[in-house]
Amino acid sequence: MKIHTIVTALNAAIRAAAQSISGRHFSRKSPLTAEAVIRLFISAEGGCLAKILHTAGLDMTASALSQRCAQIPIEVFRAVFDRFNSACTDGGLFRYYRLLAVDGTAVNLPRNPAAPSFVQNDGIPKGVNQLHATPLHDILNRTFSDVVI
C-alpha cells in the first residue's frame, strides 16, 4: 500500500469522525477544531501537552488543549481507528490465514491516587497510575486490527 493512500485514508477517517461530533462545544471559531484536536492526539509522539503544542506549532496553553480534548467523546477515536483500518487492508494472507500477533504493555500515566488506574502493591509501595494496552497486530498488512485498554 502506498504512503499517499495511507495518508488519504487517515485524513478521511479523521474528517468523518470530527464531523460526527455535534453540539455547542465546537461551534465557535478556534484553531483547536475537533479535527485539529483529533489529528494532534493521533500524531503526538508523547511527552507533556506543552511539548505536543510546541511541536505542532500551536501557540496556546496546555489547559486549553486539555479542555478541548475533554469535549471529544472517546468513541470518536475508536471510529477513526475502525474507519482507517477498514480502508487500509491489503488482504495479505499466509497460506490462506491472516497472521496476527498479540502482546501487552503497561502505559504509565501521571500519578493520581484517586483515579481508577491507580495501582499499589508491595513492589510499588507509593503506587503508580497505569493502563494495560493489549493490541492485535496484523503482521502482513502492518496494521493494528484491534486494541483493548
Side-chain angles (χ1 to χ4, degrees):
M1 182 168 260
K2 295 185 179 192
I3 189 71
H4 175 72
T5 307
I6 293 170
V7 170
T8 302
L10 181 59
N11 287 336
I14 292 171
R15 197 171 306 110
Q19 290 172 351
S20 73
I21 299 173
S22 60
R24 62 180 175 80
H25 296 302
F26 289 95
S27 59
R28 70 180 194 99
K29 190 172 172 91
S30 166
L32 285 178
T33 63
E35 187 173 335
V37 173
I38 294 167
R39 186 176 311 283
L40 188 62
F41 275 98
I42 287 176
S43 65
E45 296 178 5
C48 66
L49 291 179
K51 178 186 172 198
I52 292 169
L53 285 166
H54 178 72
T55 303
L58 295 171
D59 185 27
M60 58 195 53
T61 65
S63 176
L65 177 60
S66 182
Q67 289 172 21
R68 284 304 246 184
C69 186
Q71 296 169 344
I72 298 177
I74 194 70
E75 297 82 19
V76 168
F77 291 96
R78 181 62 185 206
V80 171
F81 180 81
D82 290 338
R83 185 178 179 120
F84 174 71
N85 270 353
S86 68
C88 291
T89 302
D90 282 340
L93 300 175
F94 176 76
R95 297 184 183 169
Y96 307 105
Y97 291 100
R98 286 179 67 191
L99 294 182
L100 302 172
V102 177
D103 196 7
T105 187
V107 179
N108 291 326
L109 302 171
R111 190 173 190 281
N112 178 1
S117 62
F118 187 72
V119 177
Q120 187 176 22
N121 57 40
D122 292 337
I124 315 169
K126 288 188 174 185
V128 295
N129 288 79
Q130 287 186 333
L131 297 177
H132 191 270
T134 307
L136 179 65
H137 188 257
D138 186 325
I139 297 169
L140 296 178
N141 290 316
R142 295 182 296 244
T143 59
F144 287 99
S145 300
D146 204 351
V147 66
V148 174
I149 299 175

